[in-house]
Amino acid sequence: MGRLVVRTRADCDKLKVAATDLEDAVWGPLGFLNHTSAHREHYDRVLENFADFQLCLVDQETEAPVALANCVPIHFSGNETSLPQEGWDWLVALGSSVPQKGNINALGALAISVPVDERGRGYASRMIEELQQLAVRRGYANMIAPVRPSAKHRFPHAAMADYIAWKDAFGRCFDPWLRSHLSHGAEVVTTCEKSMVVDEHIAFWETWSGRRFSTTGSYLVEGALAPISVDIENQRGRYEEPNVWVIYKH
């Protein structure tokens, strides 16, 4: 990785645009997640207000980012039992709150993004390490993250609490992304069952699922970690994404 260097969105407008394009491409297939109220109302502000915290792994030959790590500085009491079920949505809303800036003592990791054609090269692992180093440089005691398990979408009906206890053939954590965090020193705290909540009109969900909803019930959407709940009478569909709270202690 000698040709790679870590920069931030604050470095220049060109990198900011390239980072936005990369993030949109990586998360495009899961674009329904952009429709949580926290994402709509706060995420862009977090990226702008804390541009120097948004890490970009840049190929010095092409000057293009090959991986991103988005995070937000926050105040965290250190009480792990206080981490809420709202997970990612809570973290973004908290990070966008201006009054808490003066009492920042922790880093909240929001996402690591690696394009499909750049995966398998250790970039995601590198970005976990970069986030850890950022927290240490800033003197933060903890880094917390609502982790989105990468293989959970294959088992949407499994309860997250059960899923995170699964083991692979080597006795390791079954989920690859959660296992990566654990290998870097993270500790699992608890699940956050409402980490990202999307409540939209049925037409929105019919577009994403590519099917019509005619009865009230649970339905699957490709890439979702759990079924969505459809209410025909009120013409609404609600998705509550479960994630996993982890903490890194420094």
Side-chain angles (χ1 to χ4, degrees):
M1 295 188 190
R3 74 178 194 281
L4 302 177
V5 62
V6 176
R7 297 176 181 162
T8 75
R9 286 174 61 101
D11 284 1
C12 65
D13 289 340
K14 180 180 178 181
L15 182 55
K16 184 183 298 185
V17 171
T20 298
D21 290 344
L22 186 153
E23 188 174 10
D24 289 345
V26 169
W27 295 97
L30 298 173
F32 57 87
L33 294 177
N34 293 344
H35 292 264
T36 77
S37 60
H39 195 291
R40 284 197 303 261
E41 297 170 16
H42 305 297
Y43 189 57
D44 287 344
R45 185 183 309 123
V46 164
L47 297 186
E48 188 64 31
N49 289 351
F50 300 105
D52 56 328
F53 280 79
Q54 313 313 317
L55 308 181
C56 307
L57 187 62
V58 177
D59 185 323
Q60 296 186 86
E61 295 179 1
T62 64
E63 298 186 349
V66 296
L68 308 175
N70 297 117
C71 62
V72 62
I74 60 167
H75 173 73
F76 174 53
S77 68
N79 180 5
E80 298 170 23
T81 62
S82 70
L83 290 172
Q85 290 294 303
E86 288 72 22
W88 193 93
D89 284 348
W90 169 82
L91 192 57
V92 171
L94 177 64
S96 72
S97 177
V98 176
Q100 61 91 41
K101 278 188 177 181
N103 199 22
I104 290 173
N105 64 357
L107 194 66
L110 297 172
I112 289 178
S113 307
V114 182
V116 173
D117 59 357
E118 299 288 359
R119 294 175 187 173
R121 302 179 183 180
Y123 295 166
S125 180
R126 165 79 179 269
M127 298 314 282
I128 291 177
E129 294 169 0
E130 294 292 343
L131 287 173
Q132 290 178 284
Q133 292 171 21
L134 175 61
V136 170
R137 288 198 304 271
R138 297 281 179 161
Y140 300 156
N142 302 295
M143 180 170 77
I144 59 175
V147 175
R148 186 179 201 271
S150 59
K152 177 63 170 69
H153 67 96
R154 293 161 45 197
F155 310 95
H157 293 293
M160 184 63 86
D162 294 334
Y163 177 78
I164 62 176
W166 293 0
K167 304 295 182 183
D168 68 7
F170 302 98
R172 307 172 303 178
C173 175
F174 172 80
D175 187 81
W177 188 224
L178 189 56
R179 185 169 66 241
S180 185
H181 278 280
L182 295 175
S183 71
H184 283 84
E187 301 174 16
V188 171
V189 177
T190 186
T191 61
C192 39
E193 302 293 334
K194 300 179 181 180
S195 188
M196 303 187 80
V197 176
V198 182
D199 193 323
E200 291 286 342
H201 191 275
I202 282 180
F204 171 90
W205 292 110
E206 289 180 335
T207 298
W208 277 104
S209 65
R211 61 169 297 178
R212 301 282 294 177
F213 299 130
S214 57
T215 59
T216 294
S218 297
Y219 295 85
L220 298 180
V221 173
E222 186 174 357
L225 306 191
I228 65 169
S229 297
V230 170
D231 181 342
I232 291 298
E233 181 179 356
N234 293 303
Q235 290 288 288
R236 304 294 294 181
R238 183 178 177 88
Y239 174 60
E240 297 182 353
E241 173 161 297
N243 288 171
V244 183
W245 274 119
V246 305
I247 185 168
Y248 289 84
K249 299 177 181 178
H250 303 118

